[in-house]
Amino acid sequence: MSPSALVRSASEYERLGGRQKAAILCMAMGADFAARITQRLTPEEAETISFEIARMEHVSGETVESVMSEWLETALAADALAGGGVDYAREILEKAFGSQKATSILRRIQSQLADTANLTRLRQADPKQLGTMLRTEHPQTVALILAHLEPTHTASVLTELDMATGSEVLFRMAKMEKVTPDMLQIIERSFGSDTDFSLSSGGSSAGGPAAVAAVLNLVHASVEKELMEGVEARDAQLSEQIKNLMFVFEDLVGLDDRALQRLLREVESKSLALALKAASAELKEKIQKAMSQRAVTALKEEMEMMGPVRMRDVEAAQSAIVATVRKLEESGEIVLTGGADELVIG
């Protein structure tokens, strides 16, 4: 190979990202190998690799060889580290590749391991200290970081922020889709080299309305109300989606009889019968105990007369009842507290 060809090949290899290298590896190893690999990936990861394969143009043999070599080196190093630690891994790698190459491979692998360890330290950070550190950051930066924490940790950190910032952060978390490694690397750099954590170990599907609902279920009712008001001011539809995720129809089983009776006064018998078609036996029993015998008999007759129903109609009826719960809570007739607390009469 001519010197100019070697330069072109090296330049092509250096421009490759992790996704492109994985795509080249799958193509080089064949369809059966690629199928076994993608079976171990999430649907999003498999889709990303497939996309890279589909758009991949001609790749030189030298670039393929470089990708294969890196994969073999990384696999050998990882196995050696897992089997006997750094010293054992260095011994194995030196025998296979020589001292200089072994040092380079170990440095790369240890950097990756440090990234994972640093993310663990972030998840174990004191909420007060983390909240103090994040107060001066842009809400999008805070949202990206908190989306990588457990809901309980995020809820604790939110209490350290002012409510305006907190609601903005939750709004951005709820709107968040898959976060790319490149974006996470930008966030890392914004904190400087002294920050003791890393997020760029791979793509993330953190965030979304469900993640925000899980966090809000863990905060005090007054905090939840104020945060949700901020989200609602920005996007009423998104706010409603989060609220529905926070309290689902089956959660009615946690209400006491008085709360259920207050709710049932607002619900038509036909809607209740439809909603209960797909309810658990426990919830059906709970609701019937809160009703008079005469009302229970009428409810059962209504359900029998309906016969088979469409699931989407059942879900619509259940959503309507959940919306009624939220209206009663907002009007102050019932109080919906955070966490595992029950709904009680106000």
Side-chain angles (χ1 to χ4, degrees), residues 50-128:
S50 299
F51 173 74
E52 293 296 339
I53 292 175
R55 73 170 187 162
M56 189 78 66
E57 297 179 356
H58 174 73
V59 181
S60 69
E62 292 76 18
T63 298
V64 173
E65 184 177 347
S66 296
V67 171
M68 295 287 288
S69 295
E70 180 183 343
W71 175 66
L72 289 170
E73 292 166 1
T74 301
L76 179 60
D79 286 344
L81 280 169
V86 175
D87 291 338
Y88 176 70
R90 185 182 301 279
E91 180 182 350
I92 295 296
L93 292 172
E94 286 180 350
K95 288 180 180 179
F97 305 109
S99 178
Q100 185 175 356
K101 184 70 172 178
T103 299
S104 175
I105 296 170
L106 268 179
R107 187 181 298 117
R108 185 177 70 242
I109 296 300
Q110 288 178 301
S111 175
Q112 295 171 356
L113 292 176
D115 282 349
T116 302
N118 285 334
L119 179 55
T120 299
R121 286 196 291 274
L122 170 63
R123 288 173 173 158
Q124 296 173 347
D126 178 73
K128 288 185 177 295

Side-chain angles (χ1 to χ4, degrees), residues 29-272:
M29 298 294 285
D32 291 340
F33 173 84
R36 290 196 297 271
I37 290 294
T38 54
Q39 286 173 358
R40 296 174 178 269
L41 303 177
T42 66
E44 293 80 7
E45 290 169 338
E47 182 180 346
T48 297
I49 299 302
S50 299
F51 173 74
E52 293 296 339
I53 292 175
R55 73 170 187 162
M56 189 78 66
E57 297 179 356
H58 174 73
V59 181
S60 69
E62 292 76 18
T63 298
V64 173
E65 184 177 347
S66 296
V67 171
M68 295 287 288
S69 295
E70 180 183 343
W71 175 66
L72 289 170
E73 292 166 1
T74 301
L76 179 60
D79 286 344
L81 280 169
V86 175
D87 291 338
Y88 176 70
R90 185 182 301 279
E91 180 182 350
I92 295 296
L93 292 172
E94 286 180 350
K95 288 180 180 179
F97 305 109
S99 178
Q100 185 175 356
K101 184 70 172 178
T103 299
S104 175
I105 296 170
L106 268 179
R107 187 181 298 117
R108 185 177 70 242
I109 296 300
Q110 288 178 301
S111 175
Q112 295 171 356
L113 292 176
D115 282 349
T116 302
N118 285 334
L119 179 55
T120 299
R121 286 196 291 274
L122 170 63
R123 288 173 173 158
Q124 296 173 347
D126 178 73
K128 288 185 177 295
Q129 293 179 353
L130 189 55
T132 299
M133 183 184 76
L134 296 177
R135 282 174 189 161
T136 58
E137 298 298 328
H138 191 281
Q140 184 66 27
T141 301
V142 181
L144 282 166
I145 292 172
L146 294 189
H148 285 77
L149 306 183
E150 292 298 320
T152 51
H153 202 170
T154 298
S156 297
V157 173
L158 279 174
T159 61
E160 301 301 320
L161 306 176
D162 65 83
M163 290 297 100
T165 300
S167 62
E168 177 69 20
V169 167
L170 286 182
F171 170 74
R172 291 171 181 270
M173 279 182 62
K175 300 285 285 185
M176 195 179 296
E177 298 179 354
K178 188 172 180 67
V179 183
T180 66
D182 292 342
M183 177 60 73
L184 294 177
Q185 288 169 4
I186 292 173
I187 297 302
E188 284 177 32
R189 289 197 295 270
S190 74
F191 281 93
S193 59
D194 295 331
T195 304
D196 188 28
F197 67 85
S198 172
L199 299 173
S200 60
S201 56
S204 171
S205 297
V212 172
V215 171
L216 288 173
N217 277 333
L218 297 168
V219 301
H220 190 274
S222 60
V223 175
E224 175 218 313
K225 186 174 186 295
E226 194 166 350
L227 289 172
M228 283 304 299
E229 285 176 351
V231 174
E232 186 174 10
R234 293 168 175 82
D235 190 328
Q237 186 175 358
L238 179 62
S239 173
E240 189 64 26
Q241 186 179 358
I242 295 170
K243 287 179 180 179
N244 289 337
L245 288 168
M246 289 177 61
F247 189 92
V248 298
F249 185 73
E250 280 293 326
D251 291 337
L252 293 174
V253 76
L255 276 63
D256 62 27
D257 288 348
R258 288 190 303 162
L260 270 176
Q261 288 164 2
R262 177 65 190 91
L263 172 63
L264 293 175
R265 290 203 298 271
E266 300 294 324
V267 179
E268 294 181 0
S269 177
K270 185 175 181 179
S271 296
L272 179 61

